[in-house]
Amino acid sequence: MFAPPRPIYPVAGIRAIEALAIPGAEPPLMERAGAAAAMLAARLALGSGPVLVACGPGNNGGDGFVMARLLLAAGRHVEVAFAGDPARLPADAAAAHAAWLAAGGTTSAELPPAQPEGWALVVDALFGIGLQRPLEGRYADWIDTLNAQPCPRLAVDIPSGLDADSGRRLGPCFAATHTITFIALKPGLLTLDGPDQCGELHLATIDVAAEELAPAPGREISPALFAARLQPRLRNSHKGSYGDAALIGGAPGMVGAAVLAGRAAAHLGAGRVLLGLLDPSALAVDILRPELMFRAAAELLAAPAIGAFAVGPGLGQSDAARALVHDAVLRTTPLVLDADALNLVARDAELQQAVARRCAPTLLTPHPAEAARLLACTTPEVQADRLAAALHLAAKLNAWIVLKGCGSVVASPDGAWWINTSGNPAMATAGMGDVLSGFLAALLARGWDAGEALLAGVHLHGLAGDACCAELGLDCGLLADEVAPAARRCFNRWIRGEA
């Protein structure tokens, strides 16, 4: 029904798999990779014009030579740029280079000028997943020229200049319209700068059963991870069967954040939704969603039989807000901490220790700046290695973490991790995080485990944003309050078994 979650390996994991798979492989892995790239290139190339393949001095260049040879055999006009020393190529890449020359191909030490009709396709086979330094000189100039070509641009395994583990642009970086990666996904393809540099991502496993050779340390989020929870409701049920979700926040001037979270929890099927507001003058009813029930924040935190709390949307950082976070952390109730609740925890060692001691499920939803405060580092340091930052924070606070952003990273206290690929830039607007908190509170209130709730909530949040943008044709202007109804539709499709 749902596609299984695809495994993700860092560079070290891919190297370990290659070390086991390469000996005795027939055909060799480089031939398989080049063949997969050639098949995709044939589909992407515009018309019958020439294809330019830029090959580097390592095995990524070897993949390019195989690809070029197969395209030439298929009748394409192929130009290859190669500035390396053939005698210094690794063995497999040297064999691929020799086979290219034997097939009648030639190489140029400089990028050839574009043909009058333009290139049908340009291919980056310069540097693979092992690159750890910025490109300079000739190769930096080549990247600039390739990026300027008004045709499809294909990266082989990874765009040159992108860190395969972190997704950081190391300097000049190939801007692919398509990337074909081999064996398994790598973290850097999915998070930070990776999605912008990769374009449309294609995975070719090249007949390597990665998980039979090495366990996957991470996975892409898929509904298959929580499919057992996606069951139709029993006919013999009532609102009490689906829990009370309580949202704490709404300081003066920020009541809207708590309301957004409450509406989101209602749309995702919590039995009842209660809002505990700090603003004593706030309205006691949401006219658009009169189902929501309003309480004073301290009163709600003391209420019995609450299924889950989400604390933080519009909370502020007053002394009263700090007291509410403290009381929420001490409860033995599933808890989501977001927004200003995270900032209060970050500046208070006592709160951090209390969070880490909790036995009940704890979910934290920081964006990079909030994560930096919690880790006592800078936002650029968090973004430099998002995966490591999420794992560090999960271990430090004994909590489930989603580090939000492009390719949100979910990490568990025991060191497991996932990367989410749903969502889009139109969701970079005020209130989106509050909506996510509401989703998480609803799922926890309904009895979902912490990990299932976080994986489902994060993936559904992005999927709903994607659905809104597809339906409305948006690149920008998506409003947070539009996401909850779309999430309700997506969630119910999952329950009906519609992938």
Side-chain angles (χ1 to χ4, degrees):
M1 179 174 64
F2 297 113
R6 296 186 292 181
I8 308 173
Y9 292 84
V11 171
I14 294 292
R15 295 295 190 226
I17 291 168
E18 289 175 336
L20 295 171
I22 287 175
E26 189 57 44
L29 296 194
M30 187 170 287
E31 284 290 320
R32 301 181 198 179
M39 289 181 63
L40 178 58
R43 296 202 304 271
L44 296 178
L46 300 174
S48 58
V51 174
L52 172 60
V53 183
C55 292
N59 284 326
N60 197 243
D63 296 337
F65 290 128
V66 174
M67 175 188 182
R69 188 187 82 235
L70 295 176
L71 288 173
L72 184 66
R76 299 293 311 213
H77 175 189
V78 184
E79 302 262 357
V80 171
F82 173 60
D85 179 357
R88 299 182 65 180
L89 285 168
D92 286 349
H97 175 260
W100 162 246
L101 297 179
T106 61
T107 65
S108 168
E110 297 294 340
L111 283 183
Q115 304 294 313
E117 68 273 33
W119 300 110
L121 174 74
V122 295
V123 179
D124 162 27
L126 290 171
F127 295 95
I129 60 175
L131 186 69
Q132 294 292 313
R133 56 181 175 78
L135 297 177
E136 299 175 340
R138 181 198 304 267
Y139 290 121
D141 293 340
W142 282 18
I143 290 293
D144 289 341
T145 300
L146 294 172
N147 285 345
Q149 302 310 304
C151 63
R153 299 182 299 276
L154 174 62
V156 175
D157 208 13
I158 192 166
S160 293
L162 185 72
D163 186 291
D165 282 344
S166 70
R168 281 188 304 125
R169 283 192 296 258
L170 299 171
C173 188
F174 186 65
T177 60
H178 296 262
T179 295
I180 183 167
T181 199
F182 306 122
I183 300 178
L185 298 173
K186 295 85 181 174
L189 300 171
L190 306 177
T191 194
L192 196 61
D193 299 320
D196 284 325
Q197 298 301 136
C198 289
E200 185 176 341
L201 185 59
H202 308 260
L203 172 62
T205 60
I206 57 174
D207 295 325
V208 174
E211 293 190 89
E212 294 180 9
L213 299 174
R219 293 190 180 278
E220 185 180 34
I221 299 179
S222 155
L225 293 167
F226 42 85
R229 291 285 190 178
L230 301 172
Q231 302 296 327
R233 291 187 172 192
L234 296 175
R235 294 172 65 86
N236 184 23
S237 64
H238 53 83
K239 64 186 178 186
S241 305
Y242 305 104
D244 290 351
L247 291 305
I248 304 294
M254 296 185 288
V255 170
V259 171
L260 283 169
R263 291 179 179 179
H267 275 90
L268 219 57
R272 296 193 306 165
V273 179
L274 301 98
L275 270 62
L277 303 179
L278 274 76
D279 186 350
S281 65
L283 292 176
V285 63
D286 176 4
I287 299 299
L288 295 180
R289 286 270 70 88
E291 303 90 347
L292 305 183
M293 291 172 278
F294 289 78
R295 303 285 190 273
E299 173 191 343
L300 182 54
L301 264 178
I306 297 296
F309 281 95
V311 181
L315 184 69
Q317 299 184 50
S318 65
D319 290 342
R322 193 266 180 202
L324 291 171
V325 173
H326 176 268
D327 291 347
V329 168
L330 294 182
R331 285 195 58 140
T332 58
T333 305
L335 176 64
V336 180
L337 295 176
D338 181 32
D340 277 328
L342 298 175
N343 294 324
L344 287 164
V345 170
R347 71 187 197 193
D348 191 319
E350 179 186 347
L351 280 179
Q352 292 175 37
Q353 293 166 6
V355 170
R357 288 194 300 265
R358 279 177 53 84
C359 295
T362 310
L363 280 59
L364 275 62
T365 62
H367 57 57
E370 291 163 345
R373 296 178 196 120
L374 288 163
L375 291 171
C377 66
T378 66
T379 302
E381 286 174 320
V382 168
Q383 293 291 73
D385 195 337
R386 288 168 50 77
L387 178 55
L391 288 167
H392 184 186
L393 194 53
K396 176 182 178 180
L397 295 177
N398 187 34
W400 281 80
I401 303 294
V402 56
L403 177 55
K404 296 184 288 194
C406 182
S408 293
V409 178
V410 172
S412 74
D414 63 4
W417 54 271
W418 299 259
I419 298 179
N420 185 52
T421 55
S422 66
N424 63 79
M427 300 178 72
T429 187
M432 285 294 175
D434 304 315
V435 170
L436 174 60
S437 292
F439 291 164
L440 299 177
L443 294 173
L444 290 172
R446 293 176 59 170
W448 286 41
D449 293 339
E452 294 171 326
L454 190 56
L455 292 168
V458 167
H459 190 61
L460 180 65
H461 186 244
L463 198 65
D466 291 340
C468 285
C469 289
E471 179 182 352
L472 301 174
L474 299 180
D475 179 71
C476 60
L478 178 63
L479 302 179
D481 208 29
E482 296 174 305
V483 171
R488 177 176 61 185
R489 292 193 295 272
C490 294
F491 191 75
N492 281 283
R493 289 194 194 103
W494 283 349
I495 292 172
R496 294 196 300 270
E498 300 171 15

